[in-house]
Structures are given as C-alpha cells and as structure tokens.
Amino acid sequence: MHTISTNAYGADLAPIPSLSGPEWPHVSHIAIQECGERLLPMSLAPSPIKVFPAYARLGIPGAIPECFVREGVYRALLAAARSLPPGVHLLVLDGWRPWRVQQYLFDTLHEAIHHNHPNASEDELLARTREFVSLPSRDPAAPSPHLTGGAVDVTLCDADGLPLDMGTLFDEAIPASHTDHFEQLGELPPSQQQVRDNRRLLYHAMQQQGFTNLPSEWWHFDLGDQLWAHYGGHRQACYGPAELDTIENRWRRQIS
C-alpha cells in the first residue's frame, strides 16, 4: 500500500500517481491559442534556481548555452523553487530546444534502439523512441513540446549545486526513468526510499505550480503546451512553436 512519507527534509509527500503515456494523435490535435509570451533566459532567475544547460555542456550539435522558457514558465519555476525545503534547490537542465537539437536526440536514440534490437519493426522503434524523445516537429499545429518554451527539464540539487539522487541520470532511456517507477517496487531499502521521496518532492513542487509531468520522464514537466493541456484536462494550449529573438530577427522587423 502506498503511504505518505516524511523525507529527510521533513516534508510530507504523497505518492506519485501512475499515468499512461500520452496518446500522441490526440495530443497533436489539441488546439493552440498562442498567447505571445516571450522567451526568457533562466540564468536571470535568483536563488533558489540553478541553471545547467545540459545539452550545450554535452556538446550536442546546435545546443545553446542557456535555458530559455516562456515567461509564465519562468515565474512558475521560481514559485516551485521557493516552495522547496531549506537547502534544496531547483536545477534547470533544459527548456526551449532548437529543432536541430530535437532532431539529433530523436535520431540518436532511434539508432541506439535499432542497434540493440535489429529485428524490431519501424513501428516498434518509433514507439520506443517516442517514449523518451518526441517527434521533431515545427508544425504550428503540433510542435515538439520543447520547441514551444513550455516544456522544461528539471531536477533537485543541494545548496552546493550537487544533484540529488533521483534513481537515474537525466535522459536515461530506461524503465527506471518512469516517474512512478519507485512507487511500484513495494518495500524499499533506505537508499531507494530517499530516491522515491526526492522524486515525490520534485513532482509535487512542480504540480502545485500548475505543471504536468510526462510519465516516462521524472525530469520532464510542461506548462501551457499541448502535453500540459492533455494531462491537465485543458481545452486548449497557449504555447505554440517559439523562436529566440535574435539580433538578425530584430533588424529584419525594424528595417523597412
């Protein structure tokens, strides 16, 4: 039986609910009423937010050395971070993602799965790839979540910036990365209880600020995009595909 736990920080944490993966055909048909919010760099945020643009640090082609999110996401992340117990910080790993990076991640994971399962059909490969990386899409009616600036990848860290143990690394494409994984294992040793409680702490801090979670990834949360509308029961999304406001784009708009 799942029970509310009190973790090392003294917070009462309810179990993470078990949800099914997204029905992508349904998600992609959710209407988007673009609200026009700007993208903001998370490096502007004060403590207790910390920022580590993981893909740029890993040398992923096309990755940018910053984590941009929509303004509403920025403010909700700050609120989530401020709700955490003393000594625990929110660490932002990725936000708005260039299409080129989305394509690279999808192709790389698809190739890795095909290498390990050479007899799998294309439908099977696609399903397993989409479990952890969404289809690269710039379609205004069905963009990749990270292309909207509404999807964000986060974890928890201590006051020194060291990530807490969440049971898997960020972006590990394995069953243990499913958000509810440790809720399903029954009696846990103390080390795994701490992992479970760390996930609970992150999940509830984000949920209380309006975020929804992608069930296959404990680190992935959405606000305002189609996945958020799907899991939050909203009639429409408010974030479509977004682009950075570069100097080149500004000049093109300003010069007549």
Side-chain angles (χ1 to χ4, degrees):
M1 182 177 69
H2 296 315
T3 59
I4 294 176
S5 64
T6 301
N7 76 349
Y9 303 100
D12 290 335
L13 303 172
I16 296 170
S18 296
L19 299 175
S20 300
E23 301 172 7
W24 286 110
H26 170 72
V27 173
S28 65
H29 283 92
I30 294 175
I32 300 172
Q33 184 64 48
E34 173 59 55
C35 67
E37 279 184 9
R38 57 185 172 169
L39 290 169
L40 293 174
M42 285 307 306
S43 60
L44 291 176
S47 180
I49 292 273
K50 296 183 182 294
V51 182
F52 184 84
Y55 293 129
R57 302 298 176 87
L58 289 170
I60 300 297
I64 56 175
E66 178 59 273
C67 294
F68 286 91
V69 295
R70 295 290 190 119
E71 183 171 350
V73 178
Y74 179 99
R75 296 188 184 279
L77 286 172
L78 268 177
R82 288 167 175 158
S83 75
L84 293 170
V88 183
H89 295 255
L90 194 66
L91 178 59
V92 181
L93 302 169
D94 191 37
W96 177 83
R97 186 182 295 168
W99 181 85
R100 179 186 176 192
V101 175
Q102 189 71 28
Q103 186 72 63
Y104 175 89
L105 295 173
F106 187 90
D107 290 346
T108 302
L109 181 55
H110 185 279
E111 182 180 340
I113 295 171
H114 183 253
H115 176 79
N116 289 332
H117 301 275
N119 296 322
S121 68
E122 184 55 36
D123 285 345
E124 291 170 332
L125 292 173
L126 180 60
R128 295 195 61 172
T129 304
R130 294 188 76 176
E131 183 179 357
F132 294 101
V133 181
S134 64
L135 277 174
S137 173
R138 289 178 283 196
D139 183 348
S144 303
H146 276 281
L147 192 63
T148 70
V152 63
D153 296 330
V154 295
T155 188
L156 300 175
C157 65
D158 64 19
D160 294 326
L162 300 179
L164 302 189
D165 186 359
M166 306 300 281
T168 72
L169 298 176
F170 164 58
D171 256 1
E172 278 198 83
I174 58 176
S177 290
H178 286 226
T179 311
D180 69 347
H181 176 76
F182 291 93
E183 305 288 355
Q184 307 304 316
L185 298 184
E187 193 67 28
L188 299 174
S191 61
Q192 290 188 341
Q193 287 180 21
Q194 188 60 59
V195 167
R196 180 202 63 193
D197 290 350
N198 288 341
R199 289 194 185 189
R200 288 181 179 183
L201 182 60
L202 176 63
Y203 177 88
H204 290 296
M206 297 292 284
Q207 185 193 47
Q208 287 165 10
Q209 301 307 322
F211 289 94
T212 60
N213 171 251
L214 181 62
S216 58
E217 299 179 354
W218 58 259
W219 57 83
H220 180 111
F221 293 86
D222 297 276
L223 187 67
D225 61 13
Q226 288 172 310
L227 272 178
W228 164 82
H230 174 70
Y231 283 110
H234 306 284
R235 289 190 303 107
Q236 61 186 25
C238 54
Y239 298 147
E243 290 293 339
L244 292 182
D245 188 20
T246 64
I247 289 294
E248 180 182 9
N249 289 339
R250 288 187 194 177
W251 287 343
R252 286 178 176 175
R253 292 196 306 268
Q254 294 166 355
I255 297 174
S256 58

